[in-house]
Amino acid sequence: MKSKLGDALNWLKGKSVDYADCRYVRREVESLRVTDGVVDTMSRDVDVGVGIRVLHKGAWGFAGIASTKSGDIRKAANRALQIARASLSAKKTDVRLADQEVFRDHYRSGFVKDPFGIPLNEKVGLLLELSDHLKTDQRIKTAESSMDFFKTNKIFCSTEGAEIEQDIVESGAGFSVIAYDGNEVQKRSYPNSHRGDFAARGYEFVEEMSMLDHVERVREEAIALLSADACPDTETDIIICGSQMALQVHESCGHPTELDRVLGTEISLAGGSFMELDGLGKLKYGADIVNIYADATIAGGLGSFGYDDEGVRAQRSPIVENGIHVGYLSSRETAPVIGRQSNGTMRADGWNRIPLIRMTNINLEPGEWELDDLIADTESGIFFDANKSWSIDDKRLNFQFGVECAWEIKDGKRGRMFKNPLYTGMTPKFWNSCDAICNRNHWHVWGVPNCGKGEPMQTAHVAHGTAPARFRNVKVGVSK
């Protein structure tokens, strides 16, 4: 395959292109889902193809082909070149790529148990057992459990001489229940909502979740929510659990620091950003204790890899330091705008898509608190757990998040449960109200396999390392 990609690149060199790269991608995906004791999804798909980018006289062209034949790859290369030539008429300025070290390497993600080698009856059997245990009360109307596995082989070659192969295995699982008493509907999930938790690991990651150990608690909390008090409409201190903090970071820091959004070149799907260029190094994004990093080097992180889809090595780079906005997620094309090198965030969700700036592992660095001590230090407040809904404006400034459940904190103790809770705020004001973050004992990298961006939309695998955190004087209420 490397030889076939090299032949296509040599042909493009003969056409005097500025630059070109080829990406071979083979992805295998297995999805399993059980609903109310019935296997309703059991699929395994394989997708293979080659995508080619061409930069010609400062204009981009891209084409892909669902084939690995040399002749077909050459045809795709020619089509990408023709598209680049056609793009010249719409070009406003020449594309210039930042200089980049050229790598020849083979990266492999770590795993102990290949999830595709685990017998199907073992995986489905666990999902069925979860469903059986969850449905032991008539008020539980729906019980769903699922697993998803991914195996990706990628080869990247460029006219600059890069030759990089990557093999990445990813696994995820989770379960949820819906309780109904004739009037009220409530949901609880484990270990996170939206199909659970994911990592660049093997089946051992699913085993370590110990899902059966949490069935009773999740089921009983869903039932308890049916008769719980509604979340009060007030302004109070809040503590947000780690998984909800992951979504908070994702929506209010990850997306608005994508430099293509800031520059307005990728804005149609979900808007732009309030984190504009004139605020770089100046904007007081959050309190002094708020430190957020993009780190694609974390072992097992769903947003980890060896190299991005421009051949830039994975790295750790600051986004917010001591509350100050200091960095963006960038590409070889956008980084020169801010006088920097690419920090390796260009990725496509398959061979037939052009790479975009995507989040890696965007992490809120841990603080110093034990969770029990943080609750004990909170005289009056609410603890928010597990996302249910979210809304944020197209500048990523004003937001509202609903969660599955919450608990009152009174005199340093967790008390009664609240149903249908939500909190709302404005991003800089909210993050500047953060006065405590739990320590590394409570820090976890939450995998998010469904981050959408682009037109046509691409779905990226990203992650967020977070721990529970406290925010002062936040507006809370009840979702309708």
Side-chain angles (χ1 to χ4, degrees):
M1 180 51 60
K2 292 178 183 178
S3 176
K4 293 177 182 179
L5 300 183
D7 289 344
L9 291 171
N10 287 332
W11 182 83
L12 287 167
K13 283 181 181 179
K15 302 298 181 180
S16 300
V17 300
D18 305 335
Y19 166 87
D21 59 43
C22 296
R23 281 182 300 110
Y24 162 83
V25 182
R26 181 190 188 277
R27 171 169 280 191
E28 187 172 3
V29 181
E30 181 178 85
S31 294
L32 307 170
R33 186 174 66 185
V34 168
T35 303
D36 298 335
V38 177
V39 179
D40 59 15
T41 300
M42 187 165 57
S43 66
R44 182 178 289 190
D45 301 308
V46 177
D47 187 34
V48 182
V50 175
I52 301 175
R53 290 195 311 170
V54 172
L55 186 60
H56 176 67
K57 294 183 179 180
W60 281 116
F62 173 80
I65 186 75
S67 171
T68 58
K69 295 179 179 179
S70 296
D72 290 338
I73 295 173
R74 174 74 66 86
K75 290 178 182 177
N78 183 56
R79 187 161 62 251
L81 176 59
Q82 297 306 315
I83 292 171
R85 287 171 173 168
S87 298
L88 290 174
S89 61
K91 181 182 68 175
K92 294 182 179 179
T93 58
D94 284 349
V95 171
R96 293 285 183 260
L97 301 180
D99 291 337
Q100 164 61 34
E101 183 178 354
V102 174
F103 296 99
R104 300 170 68 88
D105 197 5
H106 192 156
Y107 169 86
R108 296 177 177 86
S109 67
F111 65 91
V112 177
K113 296 183 178 181
D114 183 351
F116 292 88
I118 302 298
L120 193 60
N121 62 346
E122 180 177 337
K123 293 178 283 194
V124 174
L126 175 56
L127 297 179
L128 288 168
E129 188 175 3
L130 287 166
S131 184
D132 288 344
H133 286 297
L134 290 167
K135 292 279 288 184
T136 56
D137 190 294
Q138 62 180 5
R139 289 167 293 183
I140 299 299
K141 299 305 179 183
T142 301
E144 180 178 294
S145 54
S146 62
M147 296 181 187
D148 297 279
F149 305 105
F150 307 85
K151 182 182 288 186
T152 305
N153 172 249
K154 297 199 293 186
I155 300 174
F156 173 88
C157 298
S158 75
T159 52
E160 295 173 331
E163 190 176 288
I164 300 164
E165 185 167 3
Q166 301 189 76
D167 289 289
I168 299 174
V169 172
E170 301 162 318
S171 303
F175 67 84
S176 64
V177 293
I178 295 176
Y180 177 62
D181 62 1
N183 297 302
E184 187 85 23
V185 175
Q186 294 294 335
K187 180 180 180 180
R188 283 298 275 147
S189 307
Y190 178 84
N192 192 12
S193 53
H194 311 298
R195 293 183 73 84
D197 193 14
F198 293 76
R201 297 181 59 197
Y203 191 71
E204 70 279 359
F205 178 71
V206 174
E207 294 177 326
E208 290 169 12
M209 289 183 190
S210 302
M211 290 190 286
L212 286 169
D213 294 343
H214 298 270
V215 166
E216 183 177 356
R217 174 186 62 81
V218 171
R219 181 187 65 233
E220 294 308 309
E221 285 181 357
I223 293 170
L225 280 168
L226 294 172
S227 57
D229 293 334
C231 182
D233 186 0
T234 186
E235 189 173 284
T236 187
D237 299 339
I238 68 173
I239 297 175
I240 302 175
C241 75
S243 66
Q244 174 60 28
M245 282 303 305
L247 188 62
Q248 183 72 58
V249 170
H250 182 97
E251 299 293 349
S252 66
C253 184
H255 277 309
T257 55
E258 295 164 345
L259 192 49
D260 53 353
R261 289 187 186 274
V262 176
L263 298 175
T265 58
E266 178 54 53
I267 200 169
S268 59
L269 178 66
S273 172
F274 75 95
M275 299 176 75
E276 298 178 350
L277 296 181
D278 58 4
L280 185 61
K282 303 173 186 176
L283 174 67
K284 191 70 166 64
Y285 177 88
D288 292 348
I289 63 169
V290 174
N291 292 280
I292 299 175
Y293 283 76
D295 189 352
T297 69
I298 297 174
L302 196 68
S304 294
F305 46 85
Y307 300 84
D308 77 351
D309 288 341
E310 291 191 310
V312 179
R313 177 176 280 172
Q315 55 198 266
R316 170 184 164 93
S317 56
I319 302 298
V320 175
E321 284 189 327
N322 301 321
I324 303 298
H325 170 218
V326 297
Y328 290 105
L329 307 177
S330 65
S331 64
R332 292 184 65 184
E333 180 180 350
T334 60
V337 175
I338 56 174
R340 301 183 184 181
Q341 298 293 110
S342 169
N343 55 2
T345 67
M346 282 285 276
R347 291 188 292 158
D349 76 351
W351 58 266
N352 58 343
R353 296 288 184 262
I354 194 165
L356 303 173
I357 294 175
R358 305 309 301 260
M359 286 179 257
T360 56
N361 304 301
I362 312 301
N363 307 316
L364 173 65
E365 295 297 287
E368 301 177 351
W369 289 80
E370 289 290 343
L371 179 56
D372 288 346
D373 294 338
L374 183 55
I375 292 173
D377 186 68
T378 305
E379 182 177 348
S380 178
I382 299 176
F383 183 92
F384 284 78
D385 186 42
N387 181 260
K388 184 161 65 174
S389 65
W390 69 95
S391 175
I392 192 164
D393 70 22
D394 61 5
K395 288 289 188 178
R396 303 280 156 172
L397 193 58
N398 298 285
F399 63 81
Q400 175 180 287
F401 289 99
V403 301
E404 290 182 352
C405 71
W407 285 268
E408 181 180 40
I409 300 173
K410 193 169 184 179
D411 298 326
K413 296 180 180 180
R414 197 169 79 164
R416 57 179 172 151
M417 178 184 284
F418 292 138
K419 64 185 176 184
N420 305 326
L422 62 80
Y423 67 94
T424 185
M426 180 175 288
T427 298
K429 181 180 178 181
F430 176 80
W431 281 100
N432 273 280
S433 75
C434 180
D435 77 334
I437 304 171
C438 287
N439 61 31
R440 194 164 289 277
N441 293 332
H442 305 277
W443 194 82
H444 177 76
V445 182
W446 295 94
V448 180
N450 57 346
C451 175
K453 182 179 178 182
E455 234 178 1
M457 192 177 79
Q458 298 189 37
T459 302
H461 291 186
V462 307
H464 306 283
T466 54
R470 182 172 65 188
F471 299 81
R472 298 289 194 178
N473 302 315
V474 177
K475 177 66 176 175
V476 303
V478 59
S479 59
K480 305 299 183 182

